[in-house]
């Protein structure tokens, strides 16, 4: 239960971190909060030869608003995001989801950039990135930046679009509209465990009380979170009421192709999806302008 | 792998440490600095027994490499006391409410809850249970720990000051 030996590098700038990654290639691993990585190293599931600590890089932990976007730096920790007045105002579902990650002490150190790069299929940030069409900003070896859509960034279990020589620097989320309802719902056997199934939803209504935009994503049904695009599009123009919620939840039951695993079988996941979508839409409706 | 010299500040005192980069903060605190109040349970961030404060925030010492904690203020259970040098209100309440049995998990719980009660002086039972979910106790069943935290919070707010 002790990690294998490694060489430690304390990067003080993005340029230094990129140079170290270029130098050490596949042998190197970045560490931010380390709340998954160090556990994996202790269990020797990960044995990087070089550990590049990016915590000393100034300016990577900011949370700021840029017009209709919310910019969250890669090193912002879950507790700071959960407790941020700015996040609660601009995109409150993110603060709520951040408050569900792991346990209190884990949230003080774990970061959004680390969680996205790790891409656990049952983690909150990949679900939020896919739900909200987040733009993931990445620093390349040349120093140039590129931007990837959340759904393209998260590719599979523990697999992302991030190259071994790149650093995730920032995530751009859209702000929710005034009066747009939202809800995050998840189920785990114990508080703080990785969820079995989770749902994110936002719901905007037009002046007549009809759905003008629904975002709906499910985690735990496939190897990545899935966006229920067809259901979202069919919902536009509908009048949201109890029957409507029942209809959407029934459709969500059939979403994706969940597999049986040691935590839950496929049928149980489908049942959870149905129940959690029902709860999420009721809460989102309640929070929307109509509620 | 070669050992590296670095300095850790624990409970207000500087300590020179010579250790490999892979040395966990929890092990450095116990083995190199000699403070064994920080307990090591699961060593992968699940049990909470090794929780210490780093710059005032409760964090798992088994999920931080000691070398990463240079320049930061580390606080361990040994530094938790009352104003008179005796028990803190939380420790006193745990004592009165039988909030511990074997005591293995207790340092992690005390360190975590001391920090949490500063952040939220008036937590609901649900809030307390939510935070306590990060600390595994195999003896008490948690009821008595929750009662103790509630009692400590009341006393720290200036209510229910009578000490048994």
């Amino acid at each position: 239960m002790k990690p294998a030996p490694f060489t430690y590098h304390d990067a003080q700038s993005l340029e230094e971190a990129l140079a170290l990654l270029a130098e050490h290639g596949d042998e190197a691993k970045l560490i931010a909060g380390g709340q998954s990585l160090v556990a994996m190293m202790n269990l020797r599931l990960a044995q990087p030869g070089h550990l590049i600590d990016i915590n000393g890089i100034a300016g990577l932990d900011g949370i700021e608003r840029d017009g209709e976007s919310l910019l969250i730096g890669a090193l912002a920790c879950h507790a700071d995001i959960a407790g941020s007045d700015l996040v609660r105002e601009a995109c409150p579902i993110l603060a709520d989801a951040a408050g569900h990650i792991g346990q209190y002490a884990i949230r003080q150190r774990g970061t959004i950039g680390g969680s996205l790069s790790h891409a656990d299929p049952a983690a909150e940030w990949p679900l939020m990135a896919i739900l909200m069409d987040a733009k993931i900003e990445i620093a390349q070896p040349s120093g140039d930046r590129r931007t990837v859509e959340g759904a393209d960034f998260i590719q599979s279990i523990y697999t992302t679009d991030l190259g071994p020589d790149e650093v995730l620097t920032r995530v751009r989320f859209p702000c929710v509209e005034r009066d747009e309802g939202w809800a995050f719902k998840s189920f785990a056997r114990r508080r703080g465990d990785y969820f079995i199934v989770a749902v994110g939803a936002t719901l905007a209504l037009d002046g007549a009380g009809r759905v003008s935009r629904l975002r709906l994503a499910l985690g735990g049904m496939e190897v990545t979170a899935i966006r229920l695009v067809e259901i979202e599009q069919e919902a536009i123009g509908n009048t949201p009421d109890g029957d409507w919620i029942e209809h959407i939840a029934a459709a969500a039951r059939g979403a994706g192709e969940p597999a049986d695993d040691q935590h839950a079988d496929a049928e149980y996941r489908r049942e959870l999806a149905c129940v959690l979508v029902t709860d999420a839409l009721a809460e989102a409706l309640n929070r929307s302008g109509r509620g | 792998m070669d050992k590296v010299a670095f300095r850790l500040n624990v409970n207000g005192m500087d300590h020179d440490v010579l250790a490999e980069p892979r040395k966990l903060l929890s092990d450095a605190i116990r083995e190199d600095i000699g403070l064994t109040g920080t307990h090591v349970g699961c060593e992968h961030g699940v049990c909470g027994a090794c929780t210490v404060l780093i710059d005032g925030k409760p964090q798992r010492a088994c999920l931080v490499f000691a070398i990463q904690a240079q320049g930061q203020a580390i606080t361990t259970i040994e530094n938790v006391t009352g104003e008179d040098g005796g028990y803190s209100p939380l420790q006193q309440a745990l004592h009165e409410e039988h909030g511990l049995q074997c005591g293995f998990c207790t340092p992690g719980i005390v360190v975590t809850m001391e920090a949490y009660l500063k952040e939220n002086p008036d937590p609901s039972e649900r809030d307390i249970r939510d935070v306590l979910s990060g600390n595994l106790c195999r003896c008490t069943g948690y009821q008595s720990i929750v009662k103790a935290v509630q009692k400590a919070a009341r006393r720290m707010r200036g209510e229910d000051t009578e000490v048994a």
Side-chain angles (χ1 to χ4, degrees):
Chain A
M1 301 296 280
K2 307 294 180 191
F6 58 82
T7 303
Y8 176 75
H9 305 273
D10 189 10
Q12 294 298 308
S13 68
L14 203 51
E15 292 70 29
E16 191 183 348
L18 289 165
L20 285 163
L21 282 174
E23 184 183 348
H24 298 293
D26 289 346
E27 281 282 285
K29 191 86 185 157
L30 294 178
I31 182 166
Q35 299 300 280
S36 297
L37 178 60
V38 182
M40 289 171 69
M41 289 174 69
N42 289 355
L43 297 166
R44 302 228 175 175
L45 295 170
Q47 301 190 17
H50 293 265
L51 201 61
I52 303 168
D53 193 339
I54 58 171
N55 284 290
I57 301 177
L60 275 189
D61 63 349
I63 300 174
E64 56 185 307
R65 188 164 180 159
D66 175 28
E68 291 309 302
S69 294
L70 183 68
L71 300 172
I72 304 183
L75 290 180
C77 73
H78 312 313
D80 284 350
I81 298 168
S84 161
D85 290 338
L86 185 58
V87 178
R88 288 190 178 283
E89 163 81 26
C91 196
I93 191 171
L94 303 180
D96 194 55
H100 278 81
I101 298 170
Q103 292 92 18
Y104 184 63
I106 299 291
R107 293 194 291 274
Q108 312 293 325
R109 193 167 180 96
T111 67
I112 183 172
S115 173
L116 285 168
S117 305
H118 184 51
D120 191 293
E124 281 78 0
W125 284 124
L127 173 65
M128 286 298 116
I130 288 169
L131 173 74
M132 299 305 293
D133 298 313
K135 309 273 189 288
I136 315 284
E137 297 182 14
I138 294 168
Q140 299 176 281
S142 61
D144 292 342
R145 305 298 171 97
R146 67 184 181 99
T147 300
V148 190
E149 294 280 334
D152 296 326
F153 181 79
I154 304 292
Q155 295 181 335
S156 185
I157 298 176
Y158 306 130
T159 307
T160 69
D161 183 52
L162 190 68
D165 52 0
E166 296 180 318
V167 182
L168 192 164
T169 53
R170 202 163 64 167
V171 190
R172 179 182 290 266
F173 289 98
C175 300
V176 295
E177 289 169 28
R178 196 180 151 78
D179 292 339
E180 190 167 12
W182 57 273
F184 170 78
K185 293 285 174 190
S186 65
F187 180 81
R189 291 198 183 280
R190 292 171 303 191
R191 182 73 177 90
D193 278 6
Y194 284 104
F195 60 70
I196 294 174
V197 174
V199 174
T202 72
L203 179 63
L205 307 180
D206 64 19
R210 288 186 295 260
V211 176
S212 59
R213 179 169 65 195
L214 171 69
R215 292 191 192 96
L216 191 59
L218 282 171
M221 301 298 278
E222 292 194 359
V223 293
T224 68
I226 51 173
R227 201 58 191 273
L228 308 185
V229 179
E230 280 180 26
I231 293 175
E232 291 180 5
Q233 285 169 354
E234 282 171 16
I236 293 170
N238 292 356
T239 301
D241 54 17
D243 289 344
W244 176 78
I245 290 174
E246 207 173 298
H247 170 73
I248 302 276
R253 180 191 283 274
E257 294 180 8
D260 299 338
D261 67 18
Q262 70 270 34
H263 302 296
D265 62 26
E267 182 50 34
Y268 185 63
R269 288 177 193 274
R270 291 192 183 286
E271 178 65 20
L272 277 178
C274 182
V275 169
L276 293 173
V277 166
T278 304
D279 290 351
L281 291 179
E283 196 167 297
L285 183 58
N286 207 29
R287 285 191 175 115
S288 70
R290 209 201 71 167
Chain B
M1 196 63 63
D2 291 341
K3 290 186 175 179
V4 182
F6 55 93
R7 181 169 289 178
L8 293 179
N9 183 285
V10 182
N11 301 333
M13 284 179 57
D14 283 336
H15 298 266
D16 289 317
V17 175
L18 186 66
E20 288 182 68
R22 66 174 173 146
K23 185 137 211 174
L24 298 170
L25 179 60
S26 45
D27 289 336
I29 289 169
R30 290 176 58 85
E31 296 167 5
D32 298 76
I33 298 171
L35 296 173
T36 54
T38 299
H39 290 171
V40 173
C42 71
E43 289 195 302
H44 62 288
V46 175
C47 78
C50 68
T51 307
V52 300
L53 303 184
I54 301 179
D55 286 342
K57 292 179 171 183
Q59 299 182 22
R60 306 284 202 242
C62 76
L63 294 186
V64 180
F65 295 107
I67 196 169
Q68 293 186 279
Q70 297 174 84
Q72 294 179 307
I74 300 158
T75 308
T76 68
I77 184 67
E78 285 86 352
N79 209 44
V80 178
T81 58
E83 285 173 10
D84 58 357
Y87 286 161
S88 73
L90 177 60
Q91 288 170 317
Q92 179 65 31
L94 281 162
H95 170 72
E96 291 170 17
E97 296 294 331
H98 306 282
L100 62 150
Q101 289 178 33
C102 86
F104 190 86
C105 66
T106 313
I109 289 174
V110 171
V111 167
T112 302
M113 286 297 174
E114 292 280 354
Y116 180 64
L117 290 177
K118 284 199 179 83
E119 181 187 319
N120 182 5
D122 191 8
S124 65
E125 180 181 340
R126 190 188 165 95
D127 293 335
I128 293 168
R129 287 184 181 276
D130 179 38
V131 174
L132 196 55
S133 72
N135 295 83
L136 298 185
C137 172
R138 300 293 77 162
C139 302
T140 62
Y142 302 105
Q143 301 287 357
S144 48
I145 303 175
V146 172
K147 277 188 193 163
V149 176
Q150 290 174 313
K151 190 179 210 176
R154 286 196 301 272
R155 285 182 180 160
M156 291 163 76
R157 294 196 305 268
E159 307 158 24
D160 188 13
T161 49
E162 189 181 329
V163 174

